[in-house]
Amino acid sequence: MNIVLIIDDDKELCALIKRSVLSEDIEADFCNTGKEGLQKLKEKEYQLVILDVMMPGMDGFETLEEIRKENSLPILMFTSKNDSASKVRGLRAGADDYLTKPFDMDELIARIISLIRRYTRFNQTDGMTQQLEFDGLKIDLENRSIITENGTFELPPKEFDLLLYCAKHQGKILTKQQIYEEVWGEEYVYDDSNIMAIISRLRKKLEVNPGNPKYIQTIKGIGYRFSKEV
């Protein structure tokens, strides 16, 4: 059974989430400070962390940075700040998704399931995965090519690397800085023209309707996401 760790100083909310995820056969532990959460991560293996931003002492951002020094498991952040700056800060520090309080419990459970599924999918240990398959799209890792409804394409290096990076983080919102530094291997200089040009070319090859993309979706003011629905 999958197990998640909830780090939030709202004890009633923690208990509510624990009861709710049990209905999906997901167990949950919870604690109320960042330091307690870091200790629990050393003691047990979890498939997901749910982390609140606003906590006394070590806040969510500091806790996130410490987790990322040791662990790559998915992290969903809660924030009471409905502004893009807090969201971008969390995503840049390594969060995989976020929800703004108050939130709908059904939406939270759907995101938990999606994040766990993606993490399990891309962290298999058999080493045999040579092709990633999505709805209407196959990515051939060995030949660095794609098969779509538009045909079969061998992709130039940057196009393939950008697509693969987004696909391996399916459902996660990636900032432009994260994409640039991963694909180009250089410090981000706030010039989005390269990213935008490559995504435009990819969409023409991937999409039946590039103007309404099914795979690489634009998240206004933040970056892009490979759809969690495919």
Side-chain angles (χ1 to χ4, degrees), residues 161 165 169 176-186:
D161 290 346
Y165 178 60
H169 294 81
K176 295 172 184 177
Q177 179 177 356
Q178 287 174 313
I179 294 172
Y180 189 86
E181 292 181 350
E182 173 67 24
V183 175
W184 276 263
E186 301 172 358

Side-chain angles (χ1 to χ4, degrees), residues 3-226:
I3 181 166
V4 303
L5 175 63
I6 308 161
I7 309 174
D8 194 315
D9 61 337
D10 186 334
K11 296 180 181 180
E12 291 185 4
L13 177 61
C14 289
L16 175 59
I17 295 172
K18 181 181 176 74
R19 291 195 300 271
S20 299
V21 298
L22 276 173
S23 67
E24 300 293 335
D25 292 325
I26 299 172
E27 293 185 354
D29 291 338
F30 62 83
C31 55
N32 307 121
T33 68
K35 288 185 177 180
E36 287 180 281
L38 294 175
Q39 184 59 41
K40 281 187 174 291
L41 285 167
K42 293 178 181 178
E43 298 170 353
K44 187 184 292 188
E45 182 177 347
Y46 295 93
Q47 281 68 55
L48 173 75
V49 171
I50 300 171
L51 177 62
D52 188 32
V53 168
M54 301 299 290
M55 294 187 295
M58 179 183 286
D59 67 18
F61 295 124
E62 294 172 302
T63 306
L64 172 61
E65 290 171 358
E66 289 300 314
I67 293 173
R68 280 291 176 251
K69 291 178 181 178
E70 304 289 340
N71 209 313
S72 61
L73 85 172
I75 298 174
L76 171 66
M77 294 199 77
F78 289 154
T79 175
S80 299
K81 299 177 180 178
N82 193 16
D83 64 274
S84 61
S86 294
K87 297 168 186 175
V88 169
R89 181 180 175 187
L91 292 167
R92 285 179 176 173
D96 294 89
D97 204 352
Y98 61 83
L99 271 179
T100 300
K101 292 181 177 180
F103 54 82
D104 180 79
M105 188 59 67
D106 288 339
E107 181 180 1
L108 171 62
I109 291 174
R111 293 196 187 202
I112 289 170
I113 293 171
S114 176
L115 285 167
I116 291 175
R117 184 186 300 121
R118 176 177 61 77
Y119 180 72
T120 303
R121 181 180 187 180
F122 292 116
N123 287 275
Q124 297 174 357
T125 58
D126 57 18
M128 299 299 291
T129 302
Q130 293 297 318
Q131 191 174 80
L132 303 179
E133 296 191 20
F134 304 93
D135 181 18
L137 170 66
K138 294 182 181 179
I139 304 174
D140 188 325
L141 279 65
E142 183 175 3
N143 296 313
R144 297 176 67 84
S145 62
I146 58 172
I147 302 171
T148 74
E149 295 180 32
N150 293 336
T152 301
F153 303 90
E154 291 186 7
L155 296 180
K158 285 290 187 290
E159 288 184 22
F160 185 84
D161 290 346
L162 192 153
L163 173 62
L164 184 60
Y165 178 60
C166 291
K168 282 188 171 181
H169 294 81
Q170 181 188 21
K172 176 179 179 178
I173 299 171
L174 300 169
T175 66
K176 295 172 184 177
Q177 179 177 356
Q178 287 174 313
I179 294 172
Y180 189 86
E181 292 181 350
E182 173 67 24
V183 175
W184 276 263
E186 301 172 358
E187 185 178 355
Y188 181 60
V189 291
Y190 301 99
D191 180 3
D192 302 330
S193 57
N194 284 337
I195 296 175
M196 293 172 65
I198 287 178
I199 287 179
S200 177
R201 294 200 298 268
L202 278 172
R203 283 174 173 166
K204 290 176 182 177
K205 298 172 184 177
L206 296 174
E207 306 287 353
V208 173
N209 180 6
N212 184 25
K214 174 180 178 179
Y215 301 106
I216 302 179
Q217 303 170 338
T218 300
I219 307 301
K220 188 175 180 181
I222 300 178
Y224 299 93
R225 175 178 61 198
F226 193 94

